[in-house]
Amino acid sequence: MKSSRKAVCLLSGGLDSSTCLALARRDGFDCYALSFDYGQRHRVELDCAARVAASLGVAQHRVVRFDLRQFGQSALTGDVLVPKGRSVDEMSQEIPVTYVPARNTIFLSFALAWAETLEASDIFIGVNALDYSGYPDCRPEFIEAYEEMANLATKTGVEGRTRIAIRTPLIQLSKAGIVKLAAELGLDFRLTHSCYDPDPAGRPCGACDSCLLRQKGFEEAGIMDPLLQ
């Protein structure tokens, strides 16, 4: 039997969003997974998202397609090199070129639209403000501001039928904490993808910020990453 608690869950196919989806499922939500094909360099993540969604038994999984390469200004959507081999300290010194302008604002807008049509009050997003690359749209203050706006912007909100909550259960976890939580939830790590610059076969580069943060998380959690075996 499906739960009466519907939630839209943003799902990139990466470790964090997959863990977030698994957590929403464990907590009894009927999950509607939402992924985006936005012209990203690492489109292999969409195949991973599909596999994760299927493995976790979501109610629906949709992929919205649009092209942020029209604007560029990011190593993920333009002809800019992805940084490699940086230390965690270097990652935190400035907002990196892998930041995609307004990406989470855009993603949450699509999630809000779907939530309104479903009359769902919950949106899950796997943002993290500890072991991350310094993106401004992963901070608690951004999420709080977006949630306030969301409840002013929807018909169902104005009519009192929904009260949108942007749920960020990973936001204050270290990457090691996320890995441990994912293991507790039974997430199959082999289905996930974290690399910003994979090779043509989809194999991780092992040197971009996302790969290095993933490696750090698994090492500190004392768990072997099956993608490196």
Side-chain angles (χ1 to χ4, degrees), residues 98-131:
T98 51
Y99 164 69
V100 179
R103 181 175 61 178
N104 281 347
T105 303
I106 294 167
F107 287 0
L108 283 169
S109 295
F110 279 105
L112 180 61
W114 198 12
E116 182 164 18
T117 64
L118 294 169
E119 293 201 8
S121 291
D122 298 276
I123 296 172
F124 281 80
I125 180 170
V127 294
N128 177 261
L130 292 184
D131 284 340

Side-chain angles (χ1 to χ4, degrees), residues 135-225:
Y135 299 153
D137 53 2
C138 289
R139 297 173 300 159
E141 50 266 48
F142 165 74
I143 297 298
E144 291 166 8
Y146 196 96
E147 181 177 287
E148 182 178 359
M149 181 279 297
N151 283 295
L152 296 172
T154 58
K155 181 175 184 288
T156 53
V158 170
E159 293 176 348
R161 288 184 282 129
T162 61
R163 175 70 189 174
I164 293 294
I166 309 295
R167 299 191 176 273
T168 58
L170 313 184
I171 200 163
Q172 297 295 344
L173 289 181
S174 67
K175 190 65 74 173
I178 293 170
V179 171
K180 290 177 181 178
L181 175 60
E184 292 171 9
L185 294 168
L187 179 67
D188 187 344
F189 293 118
R190 295 171 299 178
L191 302 181
T192 66
H193 175 89
S194 299
C195 180
Y196 287 149
D197 194 26
D199 68 15
R203 293 184 292 258
C205 72
C208 70
D209 290 0
S210 189
C211 279
L212 293 175
L213 287 171
R214 179 178 174 125
Q215 291 170 19
K216 175 178 178 288
F218 274 93
E219 288 171 3
E220 292 179 355
I223 296 173
M224 176 65 70
D225 186 350

Side-chain angles (χ1 to χ4, degrees), residues 17-36:
S17 67
S18 299
T19 303
C20 198
L21 174 61
L23 186 63
R25 289 285 293 131
R26 185 203 67 182
D27 289 348
F29 285 93
D30 191 16
C31 295
Y32 292 75
L34 185 59
S35 304
F36 301 95

